[in-house]
């Protein structure tokens, strides 16, 4: 069983907590998804003290592990400061590290990301970096102290699925022993199943569930898709071929003369 910083998880679905219509729907979606990890944006939840306390109580009642994130941070200093605040508030060394470098695509600033990851890892954080599928960046993040990588599938909230299959396959092949989580861009359960079929260890989903017409049903659909994709990968799927191969053997076939 794959571990995330020495924590073993049964569920391979991680769920974001933003943009739900109500706390009640969020709680139902968490239960339907069977997620054991939820991400929380410190900026959003700390915007009002009383609202933040209520949200934190809801998460505690859900019985899940919190993965705070540095969403919205555009500099190393901003991300590191936010991470320290999150550790104090949520009482966890885990941090989903985001350093955004481009506003239209919300693509990570990989240079700032590596720098921030090195600072936080040295300070005792267990960093989950939101990154691209670039192999060189992945290697530098591991050198910086990260033991998990979270490459994007597509831009955040785009719902486009896995944009660069070649790059993601290469990442999985190069870092077989590293837990890899697809983060961002997943829009459909089929996208999540595809990620698991490629051998990824988990998928983080927010918008595709929160903005669905029925978030609770969609959360359950993602849970089933991820379980199916993981089972398919473990079963050893057939390799694609360029030519047809008959499923019915020719030997023993009757011939009319």
């Amino acid at each position: 069983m794959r571990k995330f910083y020495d924590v073993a998880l049964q569920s391979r679905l991680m769920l974001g907590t933003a943009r739900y219509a109500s706390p009640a729907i969020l709680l139902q979606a968490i239960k339907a998804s069977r997620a054991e990890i939820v991400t929380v944006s410190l900026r959003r939840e700390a915007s009002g003290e009383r609202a933040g306390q209520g949200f934190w109580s809801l998460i505690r009642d859900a019985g899940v592990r919190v993965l705070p994130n540095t969403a919205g941070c555009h500099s190393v200093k901003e991300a590191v400061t936010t991470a320290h605040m999150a550790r104090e508030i949520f009482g966890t060394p885990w941090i989903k590290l985001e350093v955004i470098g481009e506003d239209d695509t919300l693509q990570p600033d990989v240079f700032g990301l590596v720098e921030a990851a090195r600072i936080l890892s040295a300070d005792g954080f267990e960093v989950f970096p939101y990154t691209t599928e670039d192999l060189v960046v992945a290697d530098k993040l591991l050198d910086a102290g990260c033991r998990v990588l979270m490459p994007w599938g597509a831009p955040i909230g785009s719902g486009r699925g896995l944009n660069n299959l070649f790059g993601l396959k290469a990442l999985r092949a190069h870092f077989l022993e590293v837990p890899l989580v697809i983060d961002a861009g997943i829009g459909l359960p089929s996208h999540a199943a595809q990620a698991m079929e490629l051998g990824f260890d988990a998928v983080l989903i927010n918008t595709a569930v929160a903005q669905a017409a029925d978030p609770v049903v969609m959360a359950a659909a993602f849970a089933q898709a991820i379980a199916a994709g993981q089972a398919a990968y473990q079963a050893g799927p057939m390799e694609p071929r360029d030519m047809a191969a008959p499923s019915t053997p020719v030997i023993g076939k009757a011939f009319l003369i």
Side-chain angles (χ1 to χ4, degrees):
M1 178 179 294
R2 185 73 85 186
K3 293 184 178 181
F4 300 84
Y5 287 104
D6 299 323
V7 175
L9 301 171
Q10 295 297 322
S11 173
R12 299 304 181 93
L13 171 57
M14 302 180 184
L15 197 65
T17 58
R19 305 182 67 182
Y20 285 84
S22 71
I25 292 177
L26 168 60
L27 188 58
Q28 292 174 49
I30 292 173
K31 291 180 179 178
S33 72
R34 301 193 294 275
E36 296 175 68
I37 294 176
V38 299
T39 61
V40 176
S41 170
L42 179 65
R43 287 170 171 244
R44 180 171 59 85
E45 302 312 336
S47 59
E49 183 179 354
R50 295 180 63 183
Q53 290 174 351
F55 179 84
W56 185 218
S57 296
L58 182 147
I59 295 299
R60 282 198 301 266
D61 292 343
V64 291
R65 180 179 289 268
V66 172
L67 175 59
N69 67 44
T70 63
C73 292
H74 287 72
S75 70
V76 173
K77 182 179 180 180
E78 193 178 15
V80 168
T81 300
T82 301
H84 278 90
M85 293 171 62
R87 182 166 64 177
E88 182 176 344
I89 291 172
F90 296 109
T92 176
W94 281 17
I95 191 72
K96 178 174 177 277
L97 180 61
E98 298 183 26
V99 183
I100 300 302
E102 204 280 321
D103 287 334
D104 289 334
T105 62
L106 299 179
Q107 180 168 332
D109 170 3
V110 294
F111 305 101
L113 182 67
V114 171
E115 183 181 350
R118 192 177 302 280
I119 292 170
L120 292 172
S121 294
D123 197 29
F125 282 88
E126 296 176 336
V127 180
F128 293 67
Y130 164 60
T131 184
T132 65
E133 67 277 16
D134 188 284
L135 296 177
V136 177
V137 174
D139 201 40
K140 291 186 179 299
L141 286 167
L142 296 174
D143 286 342
C146 299
R147 290 163 51 196
V148 175
L149 298 174
M150 302 185 77
W152 66 346
I156 294 172
S158 66
R160 297 181 60 86
L162 307 182
N163 272 354
N164 183 0
L165 283 177
F166 175 82
L168 291 171
K169 288 179 180 179
L171 192 70
R172 178 70 285 174
H174 277 73
F175 302 103
L176 286 173
E177 301 305 317
V178 179
L180 300 179
V181 182
I182 291 293
D183 177 15
I186 297 296
L188 294 169
S190 57
H191 297 157
Q194 184 181 30
M196 300 306 293
E197 288 167 0
L198 293 179
F200 282 81
D201 298 290
V203 177
L204 174 58
I205 303 160
N206 192 160
T207 307
V209 172
Q211 298 296 289
D214 191 329
V216 179
V217 172
M218 186 62 78
F222 270 107
Q224 295 171 42
I226 287 174
Q230 183 182 6
Y233 175 74
Q234 292 172 338
M238 64 174 286
E239 292 292 330
R241 292 185 283 250
D242 291 330
M243 302 295 291
S247 57
T248 302
V250 175
I251 297 176
K253 180 179 178 180
F255 290 91
L256 299 178
I257 299 174

